Amino acid sequence: MIPGPRNLITDVPGLLVGSAQDSALKSGSTVLLGETPLTASVHVMGGAPGTRETDLLAPDKSVAKIDALVLSGGSSFGLDACSGVVDGLRAQGRGFALGPAIIPLVPGAILFDLLNGGDKSWQSNPYRALGRAAFDAVSEEFELGSHGAGTGALTAMLKGGLGSASFVLESGVTVGALVAANPMGSVTTPGARHFWAAPFEVDGEFGGLGPDPASGLGRHLDSRKMQAMRDLAAAGDLPTERGNTTIAIVATDADLTKAQCLRVATAAHDGIGRATVPAHSPGDGDLVFAASTGSRPLAQPEAELGQIGHAAALCLSRAIARAVFHATPEEKDLLPCWRPG
């Protein structure tokens, strides 16, 4: 496996990504758009998810394909970013056709960034406009770190962000990951320099420091994030354990069914567990969408599916570390960045 030319999920042919953010709000939205409809499914392992239209992604549901996927900040308010993407698709005449009716299908997921130092005193929900702006900005190239859905993301010890990575398999299949990393857990080992995902790093893509040489790691769960959120709310009993989530999309050009997408999404969760400690907690909304453009038939689907799921997990671990590595400092930040400058 080698990274694609961009080392982004858009190395999968036929995929575009757009982001929009508001620096004062300290939040934003990101959309993954297929040039043609996508086969997709989702697997949720966190205890506190926030989603829209994910039931239709189950293999037994009748809708075969969707038009886009959305990751957004804003907690429940952020689900309205999907409406902005629906508006954009409708303007292009894209969607599921029922007679003269065109219905864009846009599942989405949100993370909690309402206590991150941003101005949340809006009078009308800003996320529909952010979703439409993200849709209008779709491209093969996009920024990582403090952009889109990762704008206001926080990990336990450092700013989180938007991350992506890709692999091209020996078969020619491309696999990519896109993530907004806002977990309860830490993406770095104690000392906040070495990434948990370091064993999977390729070509120094998130600093090249290698694995932490210490042993006995993972037993102490310090969190600057929880303390900062408590301080901001001026309430020591604030249930900040619910204010977390890693939401992700893995995608491939391999021709997969919805059931096979579900298996890839399930396997990809290992990428969260390898890059974040702890992961999949009761207060995290961890979920992974898996999408297929269907442009590359598989010669041996059952045999190749396992490798695709493995590649998706590796890409997701790398994407999570890259999200934190590329985060940039802004005014009124609650937490430092991995790169302070």
Side-chain angles (χ1 to χ4, degrees):
M1 301 181 194
I2 59 171
R6 301 178 190 87
N7 200 16
L8 300 173
I9 196 170
T10 48
D11 288 324
V12 177
L15 294 184
L16 303 170
V17 170
S19 287
Q21 55 280 326
D22 182 319
S23 59
L25 185 68
K26 284 190 181 293
S27 190
S29 303
T30 298
V31 58
L32 176 85
L33 180 68
E35 292 180 348
T36 59
L38 305 169
T39 301
S41 193
V42 65
H43 187 58
V44 181
M45 289 189 69
T51 60
R52 168 170 159 158
E53 292 196 320
T54 50
D55 283 352
L56 60 81
L57 300 179
D60 64 327
K61 299 303 184 288
S62 59
V63 171
K65 294 181 181 289
I66 53 98
D67 298 291
L69 293 165
V70 170
L71 307 178
S72 183
S75 190
S76 61
F77 301 100
L79 293 174
D80 210 27
C82 297
S83 299
V85 175
V86 167
D87 291 343
L89 286 162
R90 183 176 186 273
Q92 294 183 358
R94 290 190 54 178
F96 179 66
L98 281 174
I102 301 295
I103 308 166
L105 299 176
V106 183
I110 47 85
L111 56 81
F112 181 92
D113 58 4
L114 299 182
L115 294 173
N116 66 356
D119 180 5
K120 306 303 194 293
S121 61
W122 66 76
Q123 297 302 307
S124 59
N125 190 336
Y127 287 94
R128 187 173 192 137
L130 285 168
R132 179 58 187 268
F135 176 83
D136 290 340
V138 294
S139 172
E140 292 179 338
E141 301 285 349
F142 60 96
E143 298 293 330
L144 303 185
S146 303
H147 296 273
T151 299
L154 304 171
T155 74
M157 303 302 286
L158 298 167
K159 281 188 72 171
L162 187 73
S164 191
S166 71
F167 270 138
V168 180
L169 283 56
E170 290 184 8
S171 64
V173 167
T174 301
V175 177
L178 177 69
V179 64
N182 183 61
M184 181 188 81
S186 178
V187 176
T188 51
T189 63
R193 295 304 297 162
H194 294 272
F195 288 95
W196 290 109
F200 313 108
E201 185 177 15
V202 180
D203 297 332
E205 62 193 335
F206 42 87
L209 296 184
D212 194 327
S215 61
L217 300 173
R219 294 180 295 164
H220 302 287
L221 304 180
D222 297 331
S223 178
R224 292 177 183 147
K225 175 180 181 177
M226 287 189 181
Q227 186 58 54
M229 290 169 67
R230 289 191 180 103
D231 292 346
L232 186 67
D237 60 350
L238 184 74
T240 52
E241 290 77 6
R242 286 184 168 182
N244 311 280
T245 270
T246 297
I247 48 177
I249 303 167
V250 295
T252 181
D253 55 355
D255 187 11
L256 303 182
T257 65
K258 285 175 75 175
Q260 290 169 327
C261 284
L262 176 59
R263 178 47 44 194
V264 171
T266 303
H269 271 281
D270 286 351
I272 298 177
R274 294 167 184 162
T276 307
V277 177
H280 305 133
S281 74
D284 280 300
D286 296 346
L287 65 79
V288 179
F289 294 105
S292 163
T293 66
S295 63
R296 183 179 286 271
L298 298 180
Q300 297 179 301
E302 293 305 316
E304 294 182 69
L305 186 63
Q307 188 180 27
I308 292 169
H310 173 55
L314 293 178
C315 285
L316 185 47
S317 287
R318 295 163 53 224
I320 290 170
R322 295 188 81 203
V324 173
F325 177 75
H326 285 283
T328 51
E330 301 287 346
E331 291 185 6
K332 299 182 180 179
D333 280 349
L334 296 189
L335 299 182
C337 295
W338 192 89
R339 296 188 298 177

